[in-house]
Amino acid sequence: IPEEMMKYAREKNYEKLTQIFSLFNIRYIFYNSNPKVYEEKFPLFPNDYMMTSFPKTQKEYREFIAQFPVKEIYKNGTYQIFEFDKKTYRSEVYIPDSVYVEDMITLINQEKLSYKSAFLDKDMCKKSDFISSFCASKYVDPKAEVAIKEKNPTQYEVHIKQADGHTPFVLIFQNNFNMGWKLSVDKGSFLSEDSHLIVNKYANAWIITEKDRSGKSDYMVHITLDVQRYFWYGLSITGVSFVIFLGWLVLTFFKNKA
């Protein structure tokens, strides 16, 4: 990815760079225009390698940022924060309009893609017969409306309202892949591990079938970090152990006093 980004920067191919930023869930650009932090006292080694492709001066960097679909949302002195347009930024949970079983960089090189596309590695398609069958079939965009509510960092509620559709689709959760993340529909049982896969090289995704949603087109999906319960188990055990230890100390103290 770094080499591809340098290539696109040299070519001034801002569309391809934006696609990569979108794919990796980059929403903000932080920029410090002070020449002392980049231009005047910027240590060349090992940063000079990146400067062979990216801007060399602050003036060039301002022009570089201006080429992207961003708007300034904060400024304080030399510090600025830019936010990508909602059309390019993917929300934390989203449903792709297209799914490719190809190397994403190769495909990005070849054509202009949607900002809601997703990529599956060929090896992932071999994980199970269920996923293999999904990879081999034509993906149909369910054209769904998605509303997300973060209850806490380990629990998300997702309201999905989709057009009538019968084929399986993918729901993507842009958090580093972890088997501890579980998904259920309308507070039913968790989907099987066969439904859980890696997309875009890092993110969690689940294949949701018509059976999983009981044929509904308006329903709630719950995403939960299941390993959190082991933390509470451990905390409970630690608490009980501490109380027992404290009780032993008190008993020992009074026994010695006697």
Side-chain angles (χ1 to χ4, degrees), residues 43-60:
L44 289 180
F45 182 81
N47 305 299
D48 54 344
Y49 175 63
M50 298 299 293
M51 294 174 76
T52 60
S53 301
F54 287 89
K56 299 179 179 61
T57 67
Q58 290 285 28
K59 180 177 182 296
E60 290 177 354

Side-chain angles (χ1 to χ4, degrees), residues 8-9 12-19 63-64 67-68:
Y8 295 144
K12 301 186 185 305
N13 195 331
Y14 304 106
E15 171 62 31
K16 300 295 186 186
L17 285 171
T18 301
Q19 287 187 354
E63 295 170 353
F64 179 75
Q67 304 305 314
F68 295 100

Side-chain angles (χ1 to χ4, degrees), residues 17 31 72 80 96 104 131 135 139 172 180 190-191 193 200 202 209 211 221 225 231 233 243:
L17 285 171
Y31 175 56
E72 182 184 279
Q80 292 170 273
M104 58 187 182
I131 295 178
C135 291
Y139 183 79
I172 295 176
F190 291 138
L191 267 60
E193 290 189 3
N200 301 342
Y202 77 97
T209 67
K211 182 180 178 181
V221 163
L225 185 58
F231 167 77
Y233 291 161
V243 170

Side-chain angles (χ1 to χ4, degrees), residues 91 93-95 144-148 158-161 171:
S91 61
V93 180
Y94 75 98
I95 295 174
E145 297 176 11
V146 178
I148 311 152
V158 185
H159 181 200
I160 299 177
K161 189 174 182 180
L171 182 74

Side-chain angles (χ1 to χ4, degrees), residues 17 23-24 32 34 58 60 63 96 113-114 132 138 150 158 183-184 186-188 191 215 231 237 245:
L17 285 171
L23 196 63
F24 286 100
N32 185 348
N34 187 341
Q58 290 285 28
E60 290 177 354
E63 295 170 353
L113 300 174
S114 159
S132 178
K138 181 181 178 181
E150 181 181 345
V158 185
L183 182 144
S184 63
D186 286 336
K187 294 188 177 180
L191 267 60
F231 167 77
I237 292 170
F245 175 70

Side-chain angles (χ1 to χ4, degrees), residues 95 116 141-148 158-165 169 171 185-186 208 213 215-221:
I95 295 174
K116 289 185 70 177
D141 179 8
K143 301 187 185 304
E145 297 176 11
V146 178
I148 311 152
V158 185
H159 181 200
I160 299 177
K161 189 174 182 180
Q162 65 178 86
D164 290 336
F169 65 90
L171 182 74
V185 179
D186 286 336
I208 299 178
R213 54 187 175 86
K216 297 177 182 177
S217 59
D218 191 336
Y219 50 95
M220 296 293 295
V221 163

